Amino acid sequence: MQIIDLRSDTVTHPSQAMWEAMLNAELGDDVFADDPTVNRLQETAAARFGKEAALLVPSGTMANLVSVLVHCPRGSETILGNKSHTFMYEGGGIAAFGGVHPHTLPNQEDGTLRLEDIKSAIRVEDDHFPRTRLIALENTHNKCSGTPLTPEYIASVSAIARSHGLSLHMDGARIFNAAVALNTDVSVLSEKVDSVSFCMSKGLSAPVGSVICGTKDFICEARRVRKALGGGMRQAGVLAAAGLIALDEMIPQIKRDHDNAKLLAEGLANIPAFKINPSKIKTNIVYFELADTDLTVEEIVNRAEEKGVRFLATGSRQFRVVTHYGVEQGDILKTLDVLGLITKP
Ligand SMILES: *Cc1c(COP(=O)(O)O)cnc(C)c1O
């Protein structure tokens, strides 16, 4: 049985063009900075995001860790959302490996942090306090229904950061989803931030890797931290080759992922066992809740799996589905059929 895997957009496999590019990639040793394919990826990414330089890292988690470690000396503080990926899902790395104090603020439903909250969280100089050094945003916001942050909002946060001498980092694991949803360019979303990271292995479907973009000086420091964390890779051009195809060819299909997510959300709204507000779905992430049923989330996930549909239970009454490359409209219709069938009283 063909499984429809909706657990995450990380499950995507390389396209045929990626396999060919990987097979034919021109390689060097990237720790010596002489892998031509990695260099080409980094130059391409920097140009695309309107930044001076870029750095390939093994994962989105390392991209955020490296970025925070460069912006924040030990004992200093970063402001970030209480539902942010960096706070929730990165093993506490910024504290464990960087000695960076996370100062969390409540993420609003749309993934933003309230501007007033940010302003009052910034510390004054006082021996009692850690020094605030960084504000970190997430775009699109994973836990907040995959909502994209607008250029206007980012500019407002940036103005606060500037006026207090702080840096601004954007975890753009799904920044291309944000750009497509807002009908804008990633360079517009990254214009006001000091550093931005994006994943090549989610909606863009490359097998491995994330890229950090920023100033030349920032990336120079990031290279040192990446090496120290064990993230210096040798013939990494095999990964970069797929990444170049990702940037070249995979953006146009993101719109289809969003359309599929919307279709799924609208269908789920018609199944009594579930509760969802489809108007909240702006990109490829769909959270929905248990409603009118005696079944548990585990029972529903297990029954769906038996019928070839795989997705996550993300709480005692909550599920998550993510659409991606390789999921067709027909798969969404089949998913809705299965979910309707297994929850029928
Ligand atoms: C997936 C993700 C990351 C990084 O995840 P990795 O699995 O380490 O690549 C970072 N931030 C957000 C918002 C994500 O969704």
Side-chain angles (χ1 to χ4, degrees):
M1 179 172 52
Q2 184 81 20
I3 298 275
I4 302 169
D5 194 344
L6 302 167
R7 286 172 302 168
S8 176
D9 44 10
T10 55
V11 302
T12 46
H13 286 207
S15 66
Q16 195 55 39
M18 287 180 188
W19 282 115
E20 280 160 28
M22 287 189 272
L23 185 63
N24 296 311
E26 206 187 331
L27 302 177
D29 185 327
D30 181 48
V31 173
F32 292 122
D34 66 11
D35 185 301
T37 310
V38 172
N39 291 340
R40 198 144 52 82
L41 171 69
Q42 291 174 167
E43 284 154 24
T44 304
R48 190 72 69 88
F49 283 78
K51 298 294 177 200
E52 289 174 6
L55 186 71
L56 172 67
V57 291
S59 69
T61 298
M62 192 183 284
N64 286 328
L65 180 58
V66 165
S67 300
V68 172
L69 264 55
V70 174
H71 288 302
C72 299
R74 290 190 79 80
S76 69
E77 178 172 86
T78 180
I79 290 172
L80 77 178
N82 64 348
K83 293 183 180 161
S84 65
H85 195 276
T86 298
F87 183 62
M88 293 189 73
Y89 300 122
E90 296 175 11
I94 62 170
F97 309 117
V100 178
H101 192 56
H103 188 160
T104 56
L105 299 178
N107 273 117
Q108 305 301 299
E109 255 188 51
D110 61 359
T112 59
L113 306 173
R114 277 201 298 257
L115 301 178
E116 310 78 68
D117 288 352
I118 296 175
K119 282 185 209 155
S120 48
I122 298 168
R123 313 280 189 164
V124 296
E125 183 65 27
D126 181 312
D127 285 352
H128 294 83
F129 299 151
R131 286 187 168 127
T132 312
R133 284 298 175 89
L134 177 68
I135 303 170
L137 298 175
E138 183 173 314
N139 198 8
T140 62
H141 201 292
N142 185 336
K143 275 304 254 186
C144 297
S145 307
T147 311
L149 301 180
T150 64
E152 295 73 29
Y153 173 74
I154 299 164
S156 313
V157 177
S158 170
I160 298 172
R162 292 274 134 81
S163 68
H164 290 82
L166 309 178
S167 301
L168 178 59
H169 172 68
M170 186 158 64
D171 173 356
R174 296 191 180 82
I175 187 98
F176 286 98
N177 294 84
V180 168
L182 298 168
N183 198 17
T184 187
D185 196 83
V186 287
S187 64
V188 175
L189 297 173
S190 61
E191 189 186 346
K192 303 282 186 190
V193 305
D194 298 291
S195 57
V196 55
S197 56
F198 67 93
C199 282
M200 304 193 297
S201 60
K202 290 186 170 165
L204 301 189
S205 193
V208 179
S210 283
V211 177
I212 312 168
C213 305
T215 63
K216 272 207 176 80
D217 286 349
F218 175 84
I219 293 299
C220 191
E221 289 303 305
R223 263 192 97 81
R224 290 183 61 86
V225 175
R226 181 188 69 172
K227 188 76 185 83
L229 292 172
M233 300 179 286
R234 301 296 177 174
Q235 283 71 49
V238 287
L239 306 179
L244 281 160
I245 301 287
L247 289 176
D248 254 8
E249 298 184 1
M250 302 308 286
I251 318 292
Q253 61 93 34
I254 287 178
K255 168 90 170 55
R256 202 187 47 191
D257 297 343
H258 295 181
D259 291 344
N260 281 336
K262 193 80 174 170
L263 180 68
L264 183 77
E266 284 162 357
L268 287 169
N270 292 325
I271 301 177
F274 304 120
K275 192 170 64 182
I276 182 170
N277 175 359
S279 71
K280 280 199 347 200
I281 310 307
K282 304 276 196 298
T283 62
N284 68 328
I285 300 180
V286 180
Y287 285 94
F288 58 105
E289 315 266 330
L290 267 192
D292 194 9
T293 174
D294 294 331
L295 297 168
T296 66
V297 289
E298 290 79 18
E299 284 166 338
I300 289 176
V301 164
N302 292 340
R303 287 184 189 191
E305 172 90 28
E306 281 163 19
K307 301 221 176 292
V309 177
R310 190 177 285 165
F311 56 98
L312 294 180
T314 46
S316 63
R317 300 190 65 81
Q318 191 193 53
F319 306 94
R320 189 186 80 166
V321 162
V322 184
T323 58
H324 52 78
Y325 177 62
V327 174
E328 310 290 336
Q329 196 186 69
D331 298 321
I332 299 300
L333 298 175
K334 174 169 177 205
T335 299
L336 288 169
D337 281 347
V338 164
L339 287 172
L341 189 70
I342 63 177
T343 58
K344 215 173 224 122

